[in-house]
Amino acid sequence: MRNQTPRLSWRNTPQGDVPVSDRFDDPYYSLDNGLAETRHVFLEGNDLPARFTPGFVIGELGFGTGLNALAAVDLWRRAGMKGRLQFTSFEAFPMAADDMQKALAAWPELGADAEFLVECWARGQRRAAFDCADLEVIEGDARTTLPAWRGAADAWFLDGFSPARNPEMWEPSLLAEVARHARAGATLATYSAAGHVRRALADAGFGVTRTSGFRGKRHMTRGRL
């Protein structure tokens, strides 16, 4: 079955136009500042760059605009890491290249990497070799594609749409697969602090903590295997 390109609405904000999924009625990232949210939730939430080591692997549920991947590549480069970062993301509804370009235009500091990603995406490539990192996006329902993945991550970014609107991405069986595809001592972070998500992660083997969320959001979740 061919993956569906998502239907989007756009919300005008001071930072630029923010895509909103019509299917899930949820923005792809904070209306306040998506890049700042990514850095707070997913990068700081996984203790990055302090935990970076050569060959570090990041796994992600929900590629969206590619913002999280670009922020991770940027951080790896600025940290002066040797070797290459590996970033694998799972996405059921790959965005059109034009929409990706429109969304990422809000952050000129990611410009060269964003332009490269969009060019690859427009050609139908779901692998991109940056100067310091290798990106792979695996299309399809993560409940099927993640169990088939042979890799394991040092850090997980759980960035599906809201559990209330996209419950499939937060099912206990899928979160158990996240744990199964995690290296010893791996961490995870997500903007969600929903009780059933935290319980499922704990049942999967993660030590879970609730910490301060991004700006107006009270809490988010961090975990360590």
Side-chain angles (χ1 to χ4, degrees):
M1 182 177 176
R2 189 177 180 84
N3 292 312
Q4 302 175 32
T5 301
R7 294 182 58 185
L8 305 177
S9 300
W10 293 86
R11 192 82 58 85
N12 183 259
T13 72
Q15 71 169 356
D17 293 324
V18 175
V20 179
S21 167
D22 289 351
R23 181 187 186 95
F24 298 109
D25 189 27
D26 206 17
Y28 276 72
Y29 41 75
S30 170
L31 298 176
D32 189 4
N33 188 317
L35 181 55
E37 178 188 39
T38 288
R39 288 170 171 161
H40 176 84
V41 174
F42 298 111
L43 300 181
E44 294 175 20
N46 278 288
D47 294 324
L48 306 177
R51 292 185 56 247
F52 278 155
T53 54
F56 197 83
V57 179
I58 295 175
E60 177 184 56
L61 295 185
F63 184 68
T65 65
L67 178 60
N68 296 341
L70 293 176
V73 171
D74 176 65
L75 184 62
W76 180 270
R77 184 186 296 118
R78 288 190 288 108
M81 296 301 302
K82 296 180 179 179
R84 299 182 65 77
L85 174 68
Q86 307 294 321
F87 195 107
T88 299
S89 186
F90 298 83
E91 175 59 61
F93 304 101
M95 181 177 284
D98 288 348
D99 290 330
M100 180 181 289
Q101 183 177 40
K102 181 177 179 179
L104 294 174
W107 298 287
E109 62 266 47
L110 301 177
D113 287 338
E115 182 178 352
F116 175 65
L117 173 61
V118 171
E119 288 175 355
C120 293
W121 203 256
R123 292 194 293 266
Q125 298 175 7
R126 298 300 180 254
R127 293 176 181 266
F130 295 84
D131 63 312
C132 60
D134 296 305
L135 168 68
E136 177 185 25
V137 180
I138 299 174
E139 295 185 0
D141 189 324
R143 293 174 294 179
T144 300
T145 57
L146 178 54
W149 186 44
R150 295 185 177 182
D154 297 290
W156 273 99
F157 297 0
L158 305 186
D159 197 22
F161 289 109
S162 164
R165 295 180 169 90
N166 184 200
E168 296 83 2
M169 282 288 274
W170 306 91
E171 291 180 356
S173 58
L174 181 55
L175 298 181
E177 287 294 331
V178 168
R180 195 170 73 83
H181 291 84
R183 293 175 174 174
T187 60
L188 65 82
T190 175
Y191 63 86
S192 176
H196 68 91
V197 170
R198 290 186 286 111
R199 287 190 294 272
L201 289 170
D203 289 344
F206 287 96
V208 177
T209 58
R210 191 172 65 173
T211 61
S212 298
F214 176 68
R215 295 190 181 171
K217 195 172 189 304
R218 289 184 61 193
H219 298 119
M220 57 171 275
T221 300
R222 300 173 65 176
R224 182 179 293 272
L225 191 66

